[in-house]
């Protein structure tokens, strides 16, 4: 049987991660995978998370299974964090998943179970793993224009024009905030226009929200998702705790299914739990437990929020620094969008050849589409990156 297996396409992000690790140059700069790093290049455990972990170590007295949907308290705190009061709790079905990717995967499978003919519309570009999972599941995928590489902003007219092609029963995948890979995001009036179009066409929105708190702040970053939930009859939301709680390897996420008629919530809940059972049975608990402890304890929560703000503001400072540096060296505002973008990423608009040259000549690693992880920089490396970008003639 194994001789029948074929090579699988390489994941661009993970392949770059390996190349970076294998590079022996000491001056190398990693702007690849979306993992937060402080100025020393370290991904710290957040203070509140560490305290919650210490306290849980003392309290935990069993490793028995929790439940197919995970701990309901985790669902409650996360629904509150992501959806606020946009919808009443009885209209939300939710299951814990292994990371945000687990939630995305389960959402796609639910779509396929509910309507095998549904097509999923994704932004062009989107996180490569969206495309890869959709392909793996054999779900027909359509792209809608999203990024204007000239301005570095959203091509909103193009987006609406392409979304006009949706049919009733299709699904439109939207990034809740901090668009990955571009860093360009919808304004609230644009969210409203998208909601009106989706309702008009009878399609289901699905939201991937993996960077809440990294853009404009915890509340502002959830505003688009909340508007969709308040304005559309049904919504799927995949939320990740990897980045905003810094618990990447704990694999902690939540899939939510919101439906306007609360009498169907238990059916949706049962389907989500069934999917968990088929795929991995019980979701991991440790990360979910830490998130619950942090969000339920006022002191831990306040400390987490303040550390998250430090992280967010640090990335904004780096954006301003890089944009200024590039302006000074290029004598133009060409890269002004870097300061406007929000979240962990910006797409610089460099050709794959320039990206390769930056890697080979300058040991600067970014994804081939010129996505950079802003948090991979610090005050010392910003000028190095800016100089290298200008040197390769980008
Ligand atoms: C990224 O986009 O770099 C992150 O979401 C990490 C990943 O799994 O790809």
């Amino acid at each position: 049987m194994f001789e029948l297996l074929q090579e699988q396409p390489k994941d661009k992000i993970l392949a770059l991660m390996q190349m970076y690790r294998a590079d022996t140059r000491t001056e190398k700069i990693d702007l690849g995978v979306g993992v937060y790093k402080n100025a020393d290049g370290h991904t710290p455990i957040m203070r509140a998370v560490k305290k919650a972990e210490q306290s849980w170590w003392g309290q935990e007295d069993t490793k028995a299974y929790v439940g197919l949907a995970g701990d309901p308290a985790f669902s409650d705190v996360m629904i509150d964090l992501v959806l606020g009061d946009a919808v009443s709790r009885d209209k939300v079905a939710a299951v814990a998943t292994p990371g945000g990717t687990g939630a995305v995967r389960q959402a796609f499978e639910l779509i396929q179970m509910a309507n095998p003919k549904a097509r999923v519309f994704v932004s062009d570009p989107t996180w490569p793993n969206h495309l890869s999972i959709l392909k793996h599941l054999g779900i027909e995928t359509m792209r809608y224009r999203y990024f204007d590489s000239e301005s570095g902003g959203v091509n909103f007219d193009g987006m609406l024009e392409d979304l006009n092609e949706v049919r009733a029963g299709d699904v439109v995948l939207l990034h809740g905030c901090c668009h990955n890979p571009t860093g360009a995001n919808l304004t609230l009036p644009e969210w409203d226009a998208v909601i009106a179009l989706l309702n008009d066409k009878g399609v289901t929105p699905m939201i991937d929200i993996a960077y809440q708190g990294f853009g404009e702040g915890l509340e502002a970053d959830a505003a688009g998702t909340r508007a969709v939930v308040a304005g559309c009859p049904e919504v799927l939301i995949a939320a990740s705790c990897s980045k905003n709680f810094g618990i990447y390897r704990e694999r902690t996420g939540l899939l939510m299914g919101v439906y306007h008629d609360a009498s169907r919530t238990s059916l949706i809940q049962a389907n989500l739990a069934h999917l968990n059972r088929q795929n991995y049975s019980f979701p991991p608990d440790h990360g979910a437990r830490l998130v619950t402890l942090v969000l339920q304890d006022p002191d831990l929560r306040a400390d987490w929020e303040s550390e998250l703000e430090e992280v967010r503001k640090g990335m904004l400072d780096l954006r301003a620094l890089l944009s200024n540096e590039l302006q000074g060296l290029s004598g133009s505002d060409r890269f002004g969008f870097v300061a406007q973008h929000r979240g962990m990423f910006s797409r610089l608009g460099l050709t794959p050849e320039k990206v390769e040259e930056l890697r080979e000549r300058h040991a600067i690693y970014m994804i081939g589409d010129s996505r950079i992880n802003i948090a991979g920089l610090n005050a010392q490396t910003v000028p190095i990156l800016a100089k290298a970008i200008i040197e390769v003639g980008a």
Side-chain angles (χ1 to χ4, degrees):
M1 176 184 78
F2 288 168
E3 69 275 11
L4 299 174
L5 288 174
Q6 305 195 345
E7 288 293 334
Q8 296 302 323
K10 279 210 163 32
D11 182 288
K12 288 190 263 186
I13 298 173
L14 304 187
L16 191 80
M17 210 166 143
Q18 276 171 3
M19 277 168 85
Y20 176 81
R21 282 186 182 157
D23 191 332
T24 51
R25 290 174 288 182
T26 49
E27 74 280 16
K28 63 185 178 177
I29 300 175
D30 178 15
L31 309 179
V33 68
V35 172
Y36 172 76
K37 282 180 274 181
N38 63 18
D40 301 324
H42 181 60
T43 305
I45 300 176
M46 293 179 88
R47 297 182 297 258
V49 168
K50 193 71 182 167
K51 281 190 203 140
E53 199 155 37
Q54 279 158 347
S55 137
W56 184 239
W57 186 82
Q59 288 174 53
E60 188 177 38
D61 60 1
T62 179
K63 294 281 187 192
Y65 292 130
V66 178
L68 273 186
D71 180 3
F74 171 64
S75 295
D76 288 346
V77 290
M78 281 299 291
I79 290 168
D80 183 52
L81 184 74
V82 180
L83 304 185
D85 54 13
V87 66
S88 60
R89 177 67 181 89
D90 59 340
K91 294 183 177 171
V92 190
V95 288
T97 54
T101 309
V104 166
R105 164 79 189 231
Q106 301 293 73
F108 289 158
E109 288 203 30
L110 188 85
I111 292 164
Q112 204 170 37
M113 272 163 67
N115 178 12
K117 293 205 180 88
R119 302 174 303 170
V120 174
F121 281 67
V122 300
S123 61
D124 186 12
T126 192
W127 182 48
N129 213 21
H130 286 149
L131 298 169
S132 177
I133 300 174
L134 284 164
K135 183 166 173 233
H136 182 70
L137 293 173
I139 295 177
E140 191 179 350
T141 306
M142 309 290 287
R143 312 228 185 174
Y144 59 85
R145 273 171 287 168
Y146 184 80
F147 189 60
D148 177 1
S149 39
E150 281 301 304
S151 67
V154 175
N155 173 4
F156 193 61
D157 291 342
M159 176 177 179
L160 285 189
E161 215 175 290
D162 291 350
L163 288 182
N164 250 305
E165 301 301 316
V166 293
R167 297 193 291 251
D170 285 338
V171 173
V172 173
L173 176 57
L174 300 155
H175 295 225
C177 62
C178 308
H179 186 267
N180 180 5
T182 68
N185 298 292
L186 297 179
T187 62
L188 271 180
E190 287 171 343
W191 276 103
D192 287 339
V194 170
I195 292 166
L197 185 144
L198 300 183
N199 285 338
D200 189 40
K201 298 277 184 182
V203 306
T204 305
M206 170 176 160
I207 298 177
D208 185 357
I209 180 158
Y211 296 87
Q212 188 184 354
F214 273 36
E216 302 283 5
L218 275 172
E219 292 298 304
D221 288 351
T225 305
R226 291 177 187 176
V228 173
V229 163
C232 296
E234 63 177 25
V235 191
L236 279 164
I237 304 123
S240 170
C241 301
S242 298
K243 329 278 164 155
N244 52 7
F245 286 87
I247 50 172
Y248 305 85
R249 62 176 66 166
E250 300 297 352
R251 309 313 298 138
T252 309
L254 189 78
L255 173 59
M256 292 164 261
V258 182
Y259 194 63
H260 66 112
D261 176 357
S263 70
R264 275 190 102 67
T265 305
S266 59
L267 181 85
I268 303 166
Q269 182 68 42
N271 273 270
L272 293 178
H274 171 77
L275 269 176
N276 268 9
R277 182 65 170 160
Q278 304 320 303
N279 283 328
Y280 40 75
S281 216
F282 299 89
D285 181 66
H286 189 69
R289 185 73 43 188
L290 303 181
V291 168
T292 310
L293 288 170
V294 168
L295 292 179
Q296 280 179 340
D297 180 295
D299 292 337
L300 290 183
R301 186 177 185 132
D303 191 34
W304 169 69
E305 286 187 11
S306 99
E307 191 169 359
L308 186 58
E309 268 301 277
E310 288 163 29
V311 163
R312 186 180 78 82
K313 291 193 173 135
M315 287 191 290
L316 284 183
D317 290 346
L318 288 167
R319 287 188 175 284
L321 214 58
L322 180 60
S323 168
N324 285 342
E325 199 74 25
L326 283 164
Q327 188 189 37
L329 292 175
S330 68
S332 86
D333 261 343
R334 249 187 80 206
F335 292 100
F337 58 79
V338 172
Q340 307 307 320
H341 286 166
R342 287 294 177 271
M344 206 175 226
F345 308 116
S346 267
R347 185 187 254 205
L348 296 180
L350 314 183
T351 62
E353 292 74 29
K354 300 287 176 204
V355 170
E356 195 179 325
E357 205 177 328
L358 284 168
R359 192 169 64 239
E360 311 242 297
R361 276 183 47 207
H362 298 274
I364 295 173
Y365 284 73
M366 61 181 74
I367 310 295
D369 63 0
S370 73
R371 183 193 86 170
I372 58 166
N373 171 7
I374 286 287
L377 291 165
N378 61 29
Q380 284 72 46
T381 53
V382 163
I384 298 173
L385 170 66
K387 195 159 159 263
I389 289 174
I390 300 302
E391 252 179 54
V392 298

